[in-house]
Amino acid sequence: MNNTQAFVDWFRQSSPYIHAHHGKTIVITLTGEVVESDNFRHIIHDIALLNSLGIRLVLIHGARPQIQQRLNLRGLESHIHNNVRITDVDALEAVKDASGSIRCSIEAMLSLGLPNSPMHGATIRVTGGNYVTAKPMGVHQGVDFQHTGSVRSINAEAITQQLNCGDIVLISPLGYSPTGEIFNMPAEDLAMQTALAIKADKLIYLDNSEGIFDAGNQLVAQLSIAEAKQLTALSDHQQHVINAAIEASSQGIERVHIISNQIDGTLLRELFTRDGCGTMVYADSYDVTRKASINDVGGILNLIRPLEQKGILVRRSREHLETEIEQFVVIERDGMVIGCAALYHYPQDSLAELACVVTHPEYRGGERGERLLHWVESEAKKLGMTQLFVLTTQTAHWFREQGFEPADTAQLPTQKQQLYNYQRNSKVFIKPL
């Protein structure tokens, strides 16, 4: 019974994400390591499920370990420079062999429809073609990459036509030139260029890394472009993926996800749960979310004063705000504070309070409130808090939409209960972390 109820609860909680993703276009990168993993069959089943939910999918696979295996069998050396393979004539044969084999395997698995299998009854069409026109990468730092190429153009119209028919588009890491040459291409770069060409809603990198971790070995759930550019101590592969994610986000892909192939249900968790299971890089070219400093007091006061005058927020003096400025986070746009929120924690109760969530009237509707909430949730988790509560008089619906549930004042920390203003009669909402 408990398992059944947990499933029902999860399904209900996932429904907003199902609605949000229906009809959207997602590019998914499957590295060669993913294809070799024990979890790959489950990943394919989940891809089929995404297709059945009306999500338009483009799959781009890699083949690095498979190429290496073929080179080893032929007694040939492998040459890598800056995490990119140097593809000579012999290596190109291994690339074609590996890519063709992987493509056949993926198509076969997406055609599976046996009774008692997760894909029973599914009818999935997988299409491909010469969608990618390539050019030689050329010589970099004195190194001739030979038959390694980069994208010259993507036939976005042809890909879109297949997506409109409900097909899954599968693209191998190969490109073709007008002169009939074949070029080996890094799958991460190809995925980024494809996502940009077809104006995809999301780009997902699915590989061996679980995401990006901070200095304390904690998974970083979200990164703005500015934050991603500051990352250090990454492996060559992770740096390559992050660079592609930054470029994709900078040029219009709002969400780029980096998730692990080792987690069962990794795609479903990332797309249909609130917290996800990897790292998301998001476009934030003009807005910067950061901890507040004493220099932000004036900007915060300008934001909250109109709401204080309407009785929506409790009045804070400048002196009070200055003493609590370390509890605040702000969103800054071109030097102007356009959003703020505060976090107060009560360690003895494992509870944290979200307070003073405000966005500038001219900048509402851009999910900035959600970004402030996510920042506060992340900080509260780092502090070991298990629940987040809020007191509100006029914005209950917004908090309900963000996963908060009605609660009683008795559920507040003892210290907060003693300070509760019964004349304001604020409603209490609590959200598990």
Side-chain angles (χ1 to χ4, degrees), residues 78-121:
S78 178
H79 302 285
I80 306 290
H81 182 72
N82 288 341
N83 201 44
V84 177
R85 183 179 302 281
I86 300 170
T87 311
D88 58 21
V89 174
D90 293 327
L92 183 60
E93 292 304 311
V95 170
K96 292 191 290 184
D97 185 10
S99 296
S101 177
I102 291 172
R103 182 181 189 87
C104 288
S105 296
I106 294 174
E107 289 180 346
M109 293 180 72
L110 284 170
S111 301
L112 180 67
L114 293 175
N116 300 320
S117 76
M119 292 174 60
H120 177 56

Side-chain angles (χ1 to χ4, degrees), residues 285-288 290 331-338 363:
S285 302
Y286 303 104
D287 301 352
V288 177
R290 58 173 175 78
I331 298 178
E332 178 188 346
R333 183 184 179 97
D334 294 332
M336 175 183 175
V337 175
I338 62 170
Y363 295 98

Side-chain angles (χ1 to χ4, degrees), residues 301-309 315-318:
L301 285 173
N302 289 336
L303 272 181
I304 66 177
R305 280 289 180 257
L307 299 182
E308 289 176 349
Q309 293 168 0
R315 186 174 180 81
R316 289 173 170 83
S317 67
R318 175 180 286 272

Side-chain angles (χ1 to χ4, degrees), residues 139-273:
V139 179
H140 290 262
Q141 299 174 334
V143 177
D144 186 354
F145 282 86
Q146 302 183 55
H147 293 281
T148 299
S150 56
V151 173
R152 180 174 178 180
S153 64
I154 302 286
N155 193 336
E157 182 179 356
I159 295 174
T160 301
Q161 286 177 350
Q162 299 303 320
L163 294 175
N164 291 341
C165 293
D167 296 358
I168 292 178
V169 176
L170 176 60
I171 300 177
S172 297
L174 299 171
Y176 309 94
S177 74
T179 58
E181 294 178 279
I182 301 174
F183 291 97
N184 175 33
M185 310 181 73
E188 296 82 6
D189 298 339
L190 177 56
M192 181 264 293
Q193 294 286 356
T194 302
L196 290 171
I198 65 174
K199 296 180 172 56
D201 298 286
K202 285 181 182 290
L203 169 59
I204 297 177
Y205 288 111
L206 187 59
D207 63 14
N208 279 343
S209 64
E210 295 181 14
I212 306 301
F213 290 80
D214 60 19
N217 203 34
Q218 295 292 316
L219 179 68
V220 180
Q222 299 182 70
L223 285 168
S224 67
I225 293 174
E227 292 167 336
K229 288 180 177 178
Q230 297 173 4
L231 291 174
T232 57
L234 298 176
S235 68
D236 288 343
H237 173 68
Q238 282 188 320
Q239 189 63 61
H240 195 120
V241 172
I242 278 293
N243 289 344
I246 290 171
E247 185 169 352
S249 295
S250 300
Q251 294 191 48
I253 306 300
E254 294 186 358
R255 301 287 186 267
V256 181
H257 303 257
I258 304 168
I259 58 178
S260 171
N261 69 297
Q262 302 297 323
I263 301 172
D264 190 19
T266 183
L267 283 167
L268 304 183
R269 295 187 190 193
E270 183 67 12
L271 293 174
F272 300 117
T273 65

Side-chain angles (χ1 to χ4, degrees), residues 68 70-79 88 90-91 94:
Q68 188 60 52
R70 284 158 174 78
L71 290 174
N72 293 341
L73 287 173
R74 298 171 187 179
L76 300 173
E77 290 187 24
S78 178
H79 302 285
D88 58 21
D90 293 327

Side-chain angles (χ1 to χ4, degrees), residues 316-381:
R316 289 173 170 83
S317 67
R318 175 180 286 272
E319 292 75 16
H320 185 186
L321 189 56
E322 288 176 351
T323 61
E324 295 187 344
I325 194 64
E326 292 184 356
Q327 271 66 54
F328 277 79
V329 59
V330 296
I331 298 178
E332 178 188 346
R333 183 184 179 97
D334 294 332
M336 175 183 175
V337 175
I338 62 170
C340 70
L343 169 65
Y344 304 93
H345 69 288
Y346 302 83
Q348 65 276 18
D349 299 287
S350 296
L351 281 167
E353 179 183 9
L354 169 67
C356 203
V357 182
V358 183
T359 55
H360 193 283
E362 294 181 8
Y363 295 98
R364 289 172 187 162
E367 297 187 351
R368 293 180 177 86
E370 287 83 349
R371 280 167 45 195
L372 291 167
L373 172 60
H374 290 158
W375 186 93
V376 168
E377 289 178 349
S378 177
E379 291 298 307
K381 288 179 183 178

